């Protein structure tokens, strides 16, 4: 039983172990290799993912044919292309495992059924999305207000463990600069 | 009775007129003059706003002392500094009326009580935040993937009425360029 999901639910809602056991059939557990794709741009986006272990990233392909990472998800984060998920249409992002990962997957219809069967889960997902939206308001603020360099220093201050963990070329892409410039910033920080 | 809010609730939840009447005391109606402030950076963020008529914008002050608009809200949109609202702490954004506006205001505690008294409202707010988060994932994609010029043309294509409505210097700030450059783009579009 993924006790970790139960603990995450219990952060927000009062739920019995018995009810939680009844919820489990709504989810599938997936084991992912490093760089394994969960979703590809253009595919129907059917599924919402909860990271039990590991790290996912969401990205799109730019006009220049490069992968641009826009979001990461580590343990206890949900991730999907939510516009596509909500409307059950083609994804405009891809999702890939950054490292070997274990995730829980719930399909759109299963999630709708889960919410009908356990209305307390509306509160849980309300809190998940409210928190995610609040974080994205701050993210947009930083994208406007900080230089790329300031973003880097802000990021390593807020998520020191995370920066150790993800490959530097992905961090560079996420922050919008070249791996070379990232090395330069890293050495500047050390000096 | 703000019938408009009732209709917006009914887009997502099944709710009787009687229940809706019981909800109204949780809200206050505010009439705002153009440029009137609802929230100022540094103030405790107590309130969530629903636009009945008019237009709000959210902005912050950059290091250079300039106002940077990050978000607009027109009829039937909710707006707050959600990180500050959720944690009941000081706002890192300001909110101001762009034009004379009528909004419904609900304080944090009133919203919590409303959600306890009417659990169906959890579904309503889950959908509101899910939709807002989905839109912000797309927004972040455009901030990474489009040039400022492409953002402008994308924006006028998606929200033609909106572009007519808001002052051009605010649109320029939102899109991250000078009013002069915006005029240049506008004339390029006409030619």
């Amino acid at each position: 039983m993924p006790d970790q999901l139960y603990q995450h639910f219990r952060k927000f809602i009062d739920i019995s172990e018995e009810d939680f056991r009844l919820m489990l059939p709504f989810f599938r557990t997936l084991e992912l290799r490093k760089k394994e794709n969960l979703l590809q741009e253009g595919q129907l986006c059917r599924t919402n993912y909860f990271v039990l272990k590991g790290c996912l990233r969401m990205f799109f392909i730019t006009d220049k044919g490069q992968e641009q990472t826009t979001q990461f998800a580590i343990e206890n984060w949900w991730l999907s292309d939510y516009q596509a998920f909500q409307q059950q249409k083609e994804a405009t992002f891809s999702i890939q495992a950054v490292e070997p990962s274990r995730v829980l997957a719930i399909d759109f219809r299963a999630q709708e059924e889960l919410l009908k069967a356990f209305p307390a889960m509306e509160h849980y997902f309300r809190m998940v999305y409210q928190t995610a939206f609040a974080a994205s308001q701050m993210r947009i603020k930083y994208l406007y207000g900080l230089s790329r360099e300031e973003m880097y220093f802000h990021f390593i201050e807020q998520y020191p463990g995370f920066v150790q963990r993800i490959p530097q070329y992905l961090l560079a892409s996420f922050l919008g600069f070249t791996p070379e410039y990232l090395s330069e910033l890293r050495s500047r920080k050390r000096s």
Side-chain angles (χ1 to χ4, degrees), chain A:
Chain A
M1 184 166 75
D3 187 56
Q4 191 181 331
L5 182 65
Y6 183 52
Q7 296 310 326
H8 199 253
F9 286 173
R10 282 174 56 97
K11 271 178 140 177
F12 302 101
I13 57 173
D14 201 18
I15 178 189
S16 68
E17 281 198 31
E18 197 187 327
D19 272 355
F20 181 67
R21 263 190 293 271
L22 294 173
M23 288 180 186
L24 284 177
F26 292 90
F27 295 89
R28 289 170 288 133
T29 306
L30 306 176
E31 299 284 347
L32 304 167
R33 295 181 311 276
K34 185 174 170 174
K35 297 204 176 181
E36 190 169 339
N37 281 330
L38 274 174
L39 175 69
Q40 258 181 312
E41 223 174 305
Q43 277 179 346
L44 196 65
C45 176
R46 299 182 191 279
T47 314
N48 197 3
Y49 301 101
F50 179 82
V51 180
L52 289 173
K53 191 172 168 357
C55 178
L56 304 178
R57 70 177 178 113
M58 196 158 93
F59 64 94
F60 67 96
I61 308 292
T62 65
D63 289 347
K64 292 174 190 155
Q66 286 171 332
E67 292 181 359
Q68 174 64 57
T69 298
T70 58
Q71 211 177 322
F72 292 100
I74 53 173
E75 287 80 11
N76 293 346
W77 272 87
W78 285 91
L79 186 64
S80 189
D81 172 344
Y82 285 105
Q83 198 164 84
F85 178 69
Q86 187 165 325
Q87 299 171 17
Q88 285 295 281
K89 60 175 196 181
E90 287 76 28
T92 63
F93 291 97
S94 299
I95 296 178
Q96 192 181 71
V98 173
E99 46 187 69
S101 304
R102 183 181 306 124
V103 305
L104 290 171
I106 184 164
D107 287 345
F108 181 77
R109 282 194 190 173
Q111 186 169 312
E112 292 293 300
E113 282 166 28
L114 178 78
L115 286 159
K116 268 187 200 145
F118 301 94
M121 288 297 288
E122 291 282 0
H123 176 76
Y124 171 77
F125 279 112
R126 197 257 298 173
M127 294 307 295
V128 164
Y129 290 124
Q130 184 179 309
T131 305
F133 182 57
S136 78
Q137 283 186 322
M138 295 307 289
R139 175 84 184 285
I140 287 168
K141 181 178 181 177
Y142 297 136
L143 282 172
Y144 274 107
L146 301 184
S147 68
R148 294 308 192 195
E149 187 179 333
E150 286 167 332
M151 285 246 298
Y152 171 70
F153 289 113
H154 174 80
F155 196 78
I156 57 173
E157 203 182 284
Q158 285 225 305
Y159 310 101
F162 191 59
V163 170
Q164 298 300 322
R165 184 169 166 177
I166 53 170
Q168 295 304 299
Y169 75 96
L170 287 182
L171 181 61
S173 155
F174 176 73
L175 294 168
F177 36 72
T178 62
E180 292 72 26
Y181 184 60
L182 180 60
S183 308
E184 200 185 305
L185 284 180
R186 284 164 67 89
S187 59
R188 210 184 298 172
K189 197 210 152 202
R190 275 193 296 271
S191 63

